[in-house]
Amino acid sequence: MLTSKTVNEFINELASSSPAPGGGSVASLAGALGAALTSMVCNLTIGKKKYAGVQAEMESVVKQSEKLRSSLTALIDEDTNAFNAVMSSFAMPKETEAQKNERTAAIQHATKNATVIPLRVMQLCEQMLPFVRLIAEKGNVNSISDAGVAALMLHAACMSAKLNVQINLGSLLDAEFVRKTGVQIDEIGERMERECQNILRHVNESLNTYQ
Amino acid sequence: MLTSKTVNEFINELASSSPAPGGGSVASLAGALGAALTSMVCNLTIGKKKYAGVQAEMESVVKQSEKLRSSLTALIDEDTNAFNAVMSSFAMPKETEAQKNERTAAIQHATKNATVIPLRVMQLCEQMLPFVRLIAEKGNVNSISDAGVAALMLHAACMSAKLNVQINLGSLLDAEFVRKTGVQIDEIGERMERECQNILRHVNESLNTYQ
């Protein structure tokens, strides 16, 4: 499993001439990092006298961000597995007509799965946003930069996952799925762009007051 | 060392109630991931007949992106060490006047170092951009989404590092350093924003043609 490798090994494998892991797994990892930072800010707020008033809210957020972190972490490996399945389907024999049909069906099936996984990453990143906004507005102000980094990581994760959906949509024959998914990723992408900018504007204002 | 931990352990430590590793190390990691993806796209282009014309260029890029990747990876640990040094300086005794002066000087010294490290991350991310542009324009088109993810990761890394510079500038007494560094990070941030948008526009155009 990729997540059982050391950080160094993961980065080395990424740089290598093997196409997997690639941008899809990096997208999931960036999402997991954003969720983990959100949990960290909650954990650095909980139990502090100054923040007693938001203790319950922070405890509720950390529960949810930990759940999303776990899902996003699992998708690091799932994306690479999905990519490898696409590669395997392309390697299937294509001599007889029956083999050709079987191969095409396998490629379509595997590619659809490789589209659904980054789409899931986009959805999970979007689900994180209310929590990131909350830690930016009410979390420990000493960690305000970490709240901003969480927003930036989730933004990069979501937009990276979008590129991975797009490149896979290009090889799918199911026109209705392609159309619907295309609309879906555009909508998530726009909401993500807007909300991350709002959060980052707030972080920058807080940083100016902090100084 | 953080980079000797597994990806899972790293994400777990990040989420914990310990303030380090935090957003600063995540910024460096995101930068290293962006550099690694750039190297990957070069490696997936080199040796392919279709791309024989850009072989030399790709070989030159991969050398440089690997150097920057190594520097960015080292900064993952350096940022956490710098943060821990700030914490240690705050824990110094402050009973006598001499102790107070010594403590203040140590805090200032450690905080300046914690500012210089994310500034270095910003500079290294900016140095990556010409290489990302090149792989987006001339690299293996099957990896065009990876070139886009590289740009998104370097952007998030640079802007995350900027937030870490800003929060530390807030506690520095050296007004001239604060002023100069403030100008520097604004300039790098603006150039990064502009150039990443250009690269991503190109990636999106290529993705549309690809489909």
Side-chain angles (χ1 to χ4, degrees), chain B residues 31-204:
Chain B
L33 293 170
L37 278 171
T38 307
S39 298
M40 181 187 87
V41 178
C42 290
N43 287 326
L44 288 168
T45 308
I46 293 168
K48 298 270 191 303
K49 240 190 202 163
K50 191 179 160 190
Y51 298 98
V54 294
Q55 170 111 4
E57 249 175 315
M58 290 292 152
E59 278 168 359
S60 151
V61 165
V62 78
K63 253 185 227 156
Q64 294 171 84
S65 63
E66 284 297 270
K67 227 187 254 175
L68 291 168
R69 167 167 84 93
S70 149
S71 304
L72 283 160
T73 306
L75 287 162
I76 300 171
D77 274 286
E78 281 179 43
D79 189 275
T80 290
N81 295 342
F83 183 86
N84 288 334
V86 173
M87 290 294 108
S88 303
S89 65
F90 272 101
M92 282 169 72
K94 47 177 177 177
E95 276 156 45
T96 68
E97 208 54 38
Q99 283 177 338
K100 277 184 197 164
N101 289 338
E102 213 179 313
R103 179 173 172 272
T104 302
I107 291 173
Q108 288 299 309
H109 180 79
T111 307
K112 202 175 261 187
N113 187 42
T115 308
V116 168
I117 286 174
L119 176 60
R120 184 97 193 96
V121 171
M122 293 184 76
Q123 290 165 331
L124 295 171
C125 288
E126 191 183 9
Q127 285 173 37
M128 276 300 304
L129 290 186
F131 309 132
V132 180
R133 176 185 269 275
L134 204 128
I135 57 159
E137 286 177 353
K138 303 187 181 174
N140 191 329
V141 74
N142 294 331
S143 303
I144 186 73
S145 58
D146 298 302
V149 177
L152 284 161
M153 285 302 137
L154 289 162
H155 174 264
C158 184
M159 295 308 167
S160 296
K162 185 168 182 273
L163 293 175
N164 280 277
V165 174
Q166 284 173 282
I167 199 166
N168 285 311
L169 284 184
S171 1
L172 284 178
L173 303 170
D174 181 345
E176 181 55 16
F177 177 86
V178 171
R179 194 196 58 76
K180 268 177 59 182
T181 310
V183 171
Q184 215 175 343
I185 61 172
D186 282 347
E187 286 175 355
I188 300 177
E190 277 167 32
R191 289 196 298 263
M192 194 78 195
E193 206 74 78
R194 202 165 43 234
E195 179 60 3
C196 281
Q197 270 178 18
N198 286 338
I199 295 172
L200 288 166
R201 199 172 305 122
H202 178 81
V203 167
N204 271 304

Side-chain angles (χ1 to χ4, degrees), chain A residues 96-121:
Chain A
T96 68
E97 208 53 39
Q99 282 177 339
K100 275 184 198 164
N101 290 337
E102 213 179 312
R103 180 172 172 272
T104 302
I107 291 172
Q108 288 298 308
H109 179 80
T111 306
K112 203 176 258 186
N113 187 43
T115 308
V116 169
I117 286 173
L119 175 60
R120 185 96 193 95
V121 171

Side-chain angles (χ1 to χ4, degrees), chain A residues 2-8 10-12 14-19 21-24 26-27 29-30 32-33 36-37 39-40 43-44 66 69 73 76 141-142 144-146 148-149 152-153 155-157 159-160 163-164 166-167 169-170 200 203-204 207 210-211, chain B residues 2-8 10-12 14-19 21-24 26-27 29-30 32-33 36-37 39-40 43-44 66 69 73 76 141-142 144-146 148-149 152-153 155-157 159-160 163-164 166-167 169-170 200 203-204 207 210-211:
Chain A
L2 289 170
T3 48
S4 307
K5 294 185 187 297
T6 69
V7 172
N8 252 329
F10 181 87
I11 305 175
N12 281 335
L14 194 61
S16 79
S17 63
S18 149
V26 168
L29 172 55
L33 293 170
L37 277 172
S39 299
M40 180 186 88
N43 287 326
L44 288 168
E66 284 298 89
R69 166 166 85 94
T73 305
I76 299 171
V141 75
N142 294 331
I144 186 71
S145 58
D146 297 302
V149 176
L152 285 162
M153 286 299 137
H155 175 264
M159 296 306 165
S160 296
L163 294 175
N164 280 277
Q166 284 173 282
I167 200 165
L169 284 184
L200 287 167
V203 167
N204 270 303
L207 268 173
Y210 187 90
Q211 277 167 17
Chain B
L2 289 170
T3 48
S4 307
K5 294 186 188 294
T6 69
V7 172
N8 252 329
F10 181 86
I11 304 175
N12 282 335
L14 194 61
S16 80
S17 64
S18 149
V26 168
L29 171 56
L33 293 170
L37 278 171
S39 298
M40 181 187 87
N43 287 326
L44 288 168
E66 284 297 270
R69 167 167 84 93
T73 306
I76 300 171
V141 74
N142 294 331
I144 186 73
S145 58
D146 298 302
V149 177
L152 284 161
M153 285 302 137
H155 174 264
M159 295 308 167
S160 296
L163 293 175
N164 280 277
Q166 284 173 282
I167 199 166
L169 284 184
L200 288 166
V203 167
N204 271 304
L207 269 174
Y210 187 91
Q211 276 167 19

